[in-house]
């Protein structure tokens, strides 16, 4: 047949009936499954996934506490377009090929501002809009209008369906319910409130019983209407039998002995090792899921016995097939648990969420098709070419001015590295499997360099003298889907992978660069610097705003959005900026690294032609981000105009203050104009449409401002480096957002408890619950209202009860803290804040925060070795001020400011001071 579509009202929510829905998907094998009265919130979506299906919720799920009462499961792999529908309605509308499918649930619950008739008329208007299309249509669901009882609503539906040329497929009652009468008798009420309208000819409707009071309506479509996703083959490396000792054994054959080291020989030799220890293997993709080779082998053996049974009818073959089916179930369960446990305990968020998606049946399938200029492209080679053209043209459109040619002569005194510098660079590489165009993974390179590091040293020093090999200047770009339609080029971003040889060389250059230009990026920059982070940047922004509020002043905070910032660095301009500040050898090496760059796009092991790049600081590189911060160091000059500048990479926030509203506005116009002119002069492109402006003060005194000829509305809140900031430093919005995120993650963790031991569960929670929900909590948590703190504590204990499987509330909160060895949100934030403050004072960085804190610290330790404590006599007004939020440091009784105290030592010390459960340790 051409496909199967199911419409069903599950009644009273899908979560309690999820097992039945999964069985329905497995037995009936539908392509689309519309479930009405599903009753799910946004954070429930991850819990109701079914393997092999994508889930689409009605737009009514949007909003602060929206609930979707209509869902649609779509078999993974179908190319679909989700249509926008009025968010007041529970509808899901999808375009798949030349067909449009709409699921409707018109419940009795309606928006408060609409009457019953107005609510029904809204449905009719939406249905008319959706049916005005030159496509095959099928619209079904629970309309709550009986087909066999005359009513105005039925007349309106009939009129709409006749205009749209749709036929009603339902001919019998679809709902039965028992009603107890006043005399105790029971009668059965029948109705036909589930409808299916379609203009597709030769559809076959079947109805079957279910566990709700509604029948399941299954429609079989004629041939050619829904073409199921094909089984595809992809080539990957097989790492199942990889061991590091294999690399060590293979490297002995590459030892150069008395021969001079050669980059080409070494790279070819390592590529050969890769093919031996991790050979290429073809895997299959079916219904959106990557098939595990072990599971696939068992399936093949089972299928062979089934074929033999069908031919011979010998019961022996049937018993063998059943045996393999049981084995298959055990292996699937074991592989799922093993795969998840390996990744869930990883501190890498990417690994954790990949394993979470795997456990919930969500898979990232390879790119199979793209629509470019109205033409569908499926060939991997053509896909790579289309992406290369798109990414290249995207940067070229933003370029300002041309790049001057640089003729670099070889240095008279090239820099040279020693073996220790190289070994430090190699050890800094992560032990992962990513690779560049040379296809040498980092983990194999690291393992091989235990024996080949001296050969590598000669190669690196040769690069410094004669320039990098041209093959190392080519980036391997992988298109990564961001969001939205997977067939649109705009919904992908490029991810660059560089050769591991290049990464080691860059790391060596970075070490020398930091030695020759320490602190050149300016105090405003918090990215890619030791002792700096997003948290120090946010604390600086907050401290500056708090100072304005404490003196009842006025100010404006604006952010600047740069388009493709890292791709627009001009090498010739960088050379002119730093030619007199860097040694000859280092300047030659850096300029050689920046010039003559190229990239290729790879899709399913097929590569595009190389695209030349005349500018940019290379995405995915180690040296590139540092070069960018040096390149934009001139932003510090804005502070001479009485503006406070805080940057994190290409994100910049500028605070301007003044004695009056008019003065603030005029200063902002001048500073912003100077800001944009500076960025334009170095080749950056400012997206002024995305510039955000926030009024800082107790009251919002202006509504809009004109900057560089653009009239901008002032925003009520601004998202800065991941947290929501308001002009009055009210943290209600940030707390609400963190609570919603916490609820969603807590639901996921409860689902995952069955896959993990308690220790694994708590380790994953530390990294991915507390680290995410309480991100930058030293900035906002202690300042939010008590009603929000109560909700955070409830989330905390909800997670601990999942860890202990205490779903009947047998354990007290104190028992949970002791059993799980976890701090409460209040203890956690005090610990994080204290640790951050101690490190700031010890390391003397960031400078502006050191100056701020030292105004309220004793200059001389109160007791020997006990450090400098908070001096309450120097406190200033304003509960938002950082120095007024660290009074608890006064109670620390340990020598917390010793110069020999390491970061780990500080953490251990602070945990003993602030975590109650630590006081019970023996």
């Amino acid at each position: 047949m051409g496909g199967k579509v199911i419409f069903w009202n599950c009644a009273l929510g899908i979560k309690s009936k999820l097992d039945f829905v999964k069985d329905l998907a497995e037995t009936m094998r539908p392509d689309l499954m519309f479930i009405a009265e599903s009753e799910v919130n946004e954070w429930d979506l991850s819990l109701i996934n079914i393997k092999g299906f994508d889930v689409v919720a009605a737009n009514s799920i949007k909003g602060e506490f929206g609930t979707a009462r209509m869902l649609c499961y779509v078999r993974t792999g179908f190319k679909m377009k989700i249509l926008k529908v009025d968010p007041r309605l529970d509808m899901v509308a999808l375009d798949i090929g030349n067909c449009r499918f709409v699921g409707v649930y018109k419940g009795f619950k309606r928006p408060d501002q609409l009457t019953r008739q107005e609510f029904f008329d809204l449905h009719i208007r939406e249905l008319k809009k959706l049916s005005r299309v030159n496509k095959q249509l099928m619209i079904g669901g629970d309309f709550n209008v009986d087909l066999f009882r005359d009513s105005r609503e039925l007349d309106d539906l009939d009129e709409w369906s006749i205009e749209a040329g749709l036929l009603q497929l339902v001919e019998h009652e679809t709902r039965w319910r028992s009603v107890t009468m006043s005399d105790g008798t029971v009668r059965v009420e029948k109705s036909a409130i589930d409808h299916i309208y379609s203009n597709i000819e030769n559809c076959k409707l079947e109805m079957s019983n279910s566990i709700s009071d509604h029948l399941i309506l299954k429609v079989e479509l004629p041939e050619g209407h829904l073409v199921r996703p094909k089984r595809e083959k992809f080539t990957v490396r097989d790492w199942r039998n990889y061991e590091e000792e294999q690399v060590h054994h293979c490297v002995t054959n590459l030892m150069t002995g008395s021969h001079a080291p050669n980059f080409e020989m070494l790279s070819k030799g390592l590529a050969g090792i890769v093919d031996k220890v991790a050979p290429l293997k073809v895997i299959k993709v079916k219904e959106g899921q990557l098939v595990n080779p072990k599971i696939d082998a068992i399936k093949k053996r089972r299928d062979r016995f089934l074929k033999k049974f069908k031919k011979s009818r010998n019961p022996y073959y049937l018993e063998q097939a059943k045996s393999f089916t049981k084995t298959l179930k055990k292996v699937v369960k074991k592989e799922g648990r093993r795969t998840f446990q390996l990744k869930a305990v990883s501190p890498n968020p990417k690994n954790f969420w990949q394993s979470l998606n795997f456990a919930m049946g969500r898979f990232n399938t390879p790119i199979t098709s793209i629509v470019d200029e109205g033409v569908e492209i499926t060939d991997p080679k053509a896909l790579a070419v289309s992406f290369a053209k798109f990414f290249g043209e995207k940067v070229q459109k933003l370029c300002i001015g041309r790049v001057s040619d640089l003729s670099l002569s070889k240095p008279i005194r090239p820099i040279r590295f020693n073996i220790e510098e190289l070994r430090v660079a190699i050890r800094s590489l992560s032990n992962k499997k990513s690779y560049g165009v040379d296809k040498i993974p980092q983990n194999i390179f690291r393992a091989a360099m235990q024996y080949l590091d001296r050969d590598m040293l000669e190669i690196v020093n040769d690069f410094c003298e004669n320039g990098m090999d041209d093959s190392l200047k080519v980036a391997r770009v992988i298109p990564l889907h961001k969001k939205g339609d997977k067939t649109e080029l705009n919904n992908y971003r490029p991810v660059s992978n560089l050769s591991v040889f290049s990464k080691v060389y860059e790391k060596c250059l970075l070490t020398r660069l930091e030695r020759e230009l320490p602190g050149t990026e300016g105090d405003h920059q918090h990215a890619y610097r030791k002792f700096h982070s997003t948290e120090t940047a946010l604390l600086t922004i907050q401290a500056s705003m708090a100072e304005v509020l404490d003196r009842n002043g006025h100010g404006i905070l604006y952010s600047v959005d740069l388009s493709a910032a890292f791709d627009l660095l001009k090498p010739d301009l960088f050379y002119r900026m730093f030619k007199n500040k860097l040694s000859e050898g280092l300047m030659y090496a850096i300029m050689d690294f920046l010039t003559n760059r190229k990239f290729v796009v790879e899709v399913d092991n097929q590569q595009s032609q190389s695209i030349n790049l005349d500018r940019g600081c290379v995405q995915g590189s180690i040296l590139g981000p540092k070069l960018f911060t040096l390149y934009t160091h001139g932003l510090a000059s804005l502070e001479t105009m009485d503006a406070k500048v805080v940057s994190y990479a290409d994100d910049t926030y500028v605070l301007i203050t003044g004695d009056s509203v008019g003065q603030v506005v005029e200063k902002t116009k001048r500073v912003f104009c100077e800001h944009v002119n500076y960025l334009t002069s170095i080749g950056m492109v400012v997206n002024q449409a995305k510039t955000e402006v926030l009024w800082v003060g107790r009251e919002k005194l202006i509504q809009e401002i004109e900057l560089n000829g653009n009239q901008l509305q002032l925003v009520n809140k601004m998202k800065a480096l991941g947290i929501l900031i308001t002009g009055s430093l009210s943290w209600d919005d940030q707390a609400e957002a963190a609570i919603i995120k916490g609820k969603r993650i807590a639901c996921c963790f409860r689902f995952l408890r069955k896959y993990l031991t308690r220790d694994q569960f708590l380790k994953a929670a530390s990294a991915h619950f507390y680290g995410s929900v309480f991100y930058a909590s030293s900035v906002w948590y202690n300042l939010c209202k008590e009603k929000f703190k109560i909700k955070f504590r409830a989330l905390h204990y909800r997670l601990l009860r999942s860890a202990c499987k205490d779903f009947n509330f047998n354990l007290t909160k104190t028992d949970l803290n002791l059993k799980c060895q976890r701090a409460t949100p209040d203890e956690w934030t005090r610990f994080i804040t204290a640790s951050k403050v101690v490190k700031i004072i010890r390391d003397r960085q960031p400078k502006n925060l050191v100056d701020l804190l030292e105004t309220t610290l004793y200059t001389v330790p109160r007791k020997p070795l006990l450090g400098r404590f908070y001096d309450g006599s120097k406190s200033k007004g304003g509960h938002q001020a950082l120095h007024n939020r660290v009074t608890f440091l006064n109670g620390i009784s340990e020598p917390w400011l010793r110069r020999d105290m390491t970061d780990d030592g500080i953490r251990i010390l602070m945990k003993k001071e602030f975590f109650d459960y630590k006081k019970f340790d023996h």
Side-chain angles (χ1 to χ4, degrees), residues 547-554 698:
E547 186 179 351
V548 176
L549 295 173
D550 291 343
R551 56 183 171 81
N552 290 322
H554 311 295
R698 302 294 179 190

Side-chain angles (χ1 to χ4, degrees), residues 594-608:
L594 286 174
T595 52
N596 301 319
R597 305 292 311 191
K598 298 179 180 180
F599 76 90
V600 296
V601 175
E602 182 175 307
V603 177
D604 189 24
N605 287 324
Q606 297 294 318
Q607 292 185 346
S608 69

